[in-house]
Amino acid sequence: MKRVLLVDDDVELSSMLTEYLEREGMVVTAVHDGLAGVEACRVGGFDIAVLDVMMPGIDGVEVLRRIRAFSRLPVLMLTARGDEVDCVVGLELGADDYVAKPCTPRELAARLRAILRRTASDGPADVLAVGPLTMWPQERRAQWCNATLELTSTEYSLLELLVRNAGRPVSKAELSEQVLGRPLARYDRSIDVHMSSIRHKLATGDDSRAWIQTIRGLGYQFVKI
């Protein structure tokens, strides 16, 4: 059973979501302010966290910033519908995905399952190596130029998909379907923001070439040597 940390100041909504997610086989711990959310993550024991952006005091973005200082725990953000700024900022800080409120408990559960599926370590025990990049998918571990490459769960899955298809473009629609677990929506910048973060992390190595290329009209491609 997967353990979910729900951080939302709306007690009534938290209760409804908790009841639904527990019927779906998850164990939910709900806290109602940002500081409590940070401390719960510090204690640990969770498989994923759900953070509401709009909270009094320390909001969800600041909670995420503090969590990322010590943990790579998968995080799903709850944002105001149509607030693209919150979505982009959350993704840039290392959120794995977001859901716009108001959302149905069913949609939230589906997004959580999609993230949890891709963070599971029950895949093939192979090793992927292209250029200075080495990935161990079963361990969800990667090295770039022989140094540990720190990636969020979504970044890892996106990079793994590109590497498995090195030398050919992978469309944003395919990346969204296979990694985010949802169809690519119009004006959805999630994939682009994640790719920008991955590129930035790869550029910190000794080899500064553009290993991830944007193929106009087709998608993204990892360079094959």
Side-chain angles (χ1 to χ4, degrees):
M1 298 179 70
K2 298 299 184 180
R3 293 196 60 197
V4 179
L5 173 65
L6 175 60
V7 187
D8 195 321
D9 65 309
D10 189 330
V11 176
E12 184 176 350
L13 176 62
S14 296
S15 178
M16 180 187 69
L17 293 176
T18 296
E19 182 179 348
Y20 184 89
L21 294 175
E22 289 185 339
R23 289 205 305 267
E24 293 290 301
M26 303 179 192
V27 178
V28 181
T29 298
V31 297
H32 306 298
D33 67 81
L35 280 177
V38 174
E39 289 310 307
C41 284
R42 198 181 300 278
V43 172
F46 297 101
D47 298 293
I48 193 167
V50 180
L51 303 181
D52 182 29
V53 170
M54 298 299 293
M55 290 188 292
I58 299 178
D59 64 14
V61 172
E62 179 59 26
V63 172
L64 175 62
R65 191 192 312 274
R66 296 189 186 192
I67 290 172
R68 282 292 172 257
F70 63 84
S71 173
R72 307 313 299 172
L73 179 73
V75 171
L76 178 70
M77 303 293 287
L78 296 177
T79 68
R81 187 171 298 279
D83 195 337
E84 185 180 0
V85 174
D86 282 342
C87 300
V88 172
V89 170
L91 294 174
E92 288 177 340
L93 287 174
D96 291 273
D97 204 356
Y98 65 89
V99 174
K101 296 173 70 175
C103 66
T104 65
R106 182 178 180 181
E107 180 185 7
L108 178 61
R111 292 290 186 88
L112 289 173
R113 281 194 293 266
I115 296 174
L116 290 167
R117 274 197 305 270
R118 67 175 179 258
T119 59
S121 58
D122 57 356
D126 54 346
V127 178
L128 305 176
V130 180
L133 175 66
T134 305
M135 304 182 77
W136 293 265
Q138 193 173 39
E139 302 173 37
R140 305 289 292 179
R141 182 166 63 90
Q143 285 187 343
W144 179 254
C145 298
N146 296 316
T148 298
L149 182 60
E150 296 289 349
L151 300 167
T152 67
S153 61
T154 297
E155 290 169 356
Y156 193 99
S157 297
L158 286 170
L159 185 56
E160 180 186 345
L161 183 56
L162 289 182
V163 170
R164 289 189 183 277
N165 293 275
R168 81 166 185 88
V170 182
S171 70
K172 287 201 289 185
E174 184 178 351
L175 290 166
S176 184
E177 287 277 4
Q178 293 199 31
V179 175
L180 301 184
R182 55 184 168 85
L184 182 67
R186 192 177 185 184
Y187 305 124
D188 187 346
R189 295 182 55 200
S190 301
I191 298 296
D192 299 321
V193 175
H194 287 305
M195 285 298 174
S196 176
S197 176
I198 296 170
R199 281 170 161 162
H200 177 74
K201 292 176 180 180
L202 298 187
T204 61
D206 297 331
D207 192 336
S208 60
R209 80 177 76 181
W211 284 91
I212 298 178
Q213 299 177 340
T214 302
I215 310 300
R216 187 176 179 85
L218 294 176
Y220 292 98
Q221 173 179 291
F222 196 92
V223 174
K224 185 175 182 179
I225 299 178

